[in-house]
């Protein structure tokens, strides 16, 4: 992942990679030579939901995506909210559905985007009304849904296994 920070947010001096002793030993990070600011570049928490709706799995297509890929509902955790509160909010914002049950599936790394994914199984009710972020959704039978070999796809696979289904994975085109 490229570093978005180029300048110190405190004094505007260009940041430099500087090695410094920390609790775990010497670590190179972006640091400010003028004021001592350190850009920690910690992973961002992202919330994801395997939505069970009308006895099927709801996957949605993001408006920004090319092609016909469908995936879990996801969103960034906001300051001051719990992961459960955040995923319930994301589900409501993106689909208008109400989560009546939330259970943690697991926590997954997504290093390519410097994110940590906190995935839940959500039982939902209501009428689906997509936000402008989403262009389509599909309902899949548990034994017909295909997982993808990345962050949220592994969460879906783990949830399927917990329900007695052996997940099938799609092959994604290789990145150049």
């Amino acid at each position: 992942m490229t570093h978005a920070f180029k300048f110190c947010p405190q004094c505007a001096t260009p940041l430099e990679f500087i090695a410094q002793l920390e609790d775990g030993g010497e670590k190179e990070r972006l640091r400010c030579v003028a004021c001592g600011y350190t850009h920690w570049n910690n992973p961002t928490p992202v919330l994801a939901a395997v939505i069970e709706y009308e006895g099927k799995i709801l996957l949605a297509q993001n408006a920004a995506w090319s092609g016909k890929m469908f995936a879990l509902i996801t969103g960034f955790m906001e300051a001051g909210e719990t992961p459960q509160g955040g995923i319930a909010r994301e589900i409501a914002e993106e689909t208008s559905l109400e989560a009546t049950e939330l259970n943690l599936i697991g926590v997954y790394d997504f290093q390519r985007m410097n994110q940590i994914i906190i995935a839940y199984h959500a039982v939902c009710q209501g009428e689906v009304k997509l936000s402008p972020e989403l262009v389509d959704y599909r309902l899949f039978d548990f034994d017909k849904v295909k997982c993808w070999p990345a962050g949220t796809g592994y969460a879906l696979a783990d949830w399927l296994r917990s329900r007695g289904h052996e997940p099938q994975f799609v092959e994604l085109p290789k990145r150049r």
Side-chain angles (χ1 to χ4, degrees):
M1 162 138 204
T2 59
H3 297 278
F5 279 78
K6 294 188 186 313
F7 298 94
C8 177
Q10 295 179 151
C11 71
T13 301
L15 295 174
E16 298 177 25
F17 277 104
I18 299 172
Q20 195 172 21
L21 281 177
E22 297 178 358
D23 290 343
E26 190 170 84
K27 181 76 173 174
E28 189 174 81
R29 299 187 191 274
L30 284 173
R31 302 180 198 272
C32 180
V33 294
C35 73
Y37 169 83
T38 297
H39 174 58
W40 297 100
N41 199 31
N42 292 332
T44 303
V46 172
L47 306 168
V50 173
I51 294 178
E52 186 177 343
Y53 176 69
E54 297 181 348
K56 297 184 183 238
I57 296 171
L58 182 147
L59 299 181
Q61 182 184 16
N62 192 296
W65 297 344
S66 61
K68 278 288 196 186
M69 286 200 49
F70 290 80
L72 304 184
I73 297 299
T74 61
F76 293 106
M77 192 167 129
E78 299 286 341
E81 70 184 358
T82 65
Q84 286 176 312
I87 196 56
R89 173 189 52 76
E90 284 291 340
I91 292 167
E93 286 176 1
E94 294 186 18
T95 67
S96 297
L97 295 175
E98 176 193 2
T100 59
E101 185 180 328
L102 289 169
N103 296 295
L104 181 67
I105 298 169
V107 178
Y108 303 84
D109 71 319
F110 194 40
Q111 292 181 21
R112 181 171 55 88
M113 297 298 289
N114 194 26
Q115 297 172 344
I116 295 292
I117 299 167
I118 306 168
Y120 287 90
H121 166 237
V123 177
C124 293
Q125 65 183 21
E127 182 183 341
V128 177
K129 294 178 190 157
L130 299 179
S131 77
E133 261 183 67
L134 304 174
V135 292
D136 199 5
Y137 77 95
R138 298 262 165 85
L139 298 176
F140 294 87
D141 291 325
F142 297 172
D143 60 347
K144 299 272 192 284
V145 70
K146 303 263 187 188
C147 302
W148 44 96
T152 57
Y154 297 129
L156 177 56
D158 285 348
W159 182 80
L160 286 168
R161 280 187 201 97
S162 78
R163 294 298 193 261
H165 299 280
E166 188 54 38
Q168 298 176 23
F169 283 84
V170 296
E171 287 190 36
L172 298 177
K174 298 211 189 254
R175 292 179 164 240
R176 294 179 190 224

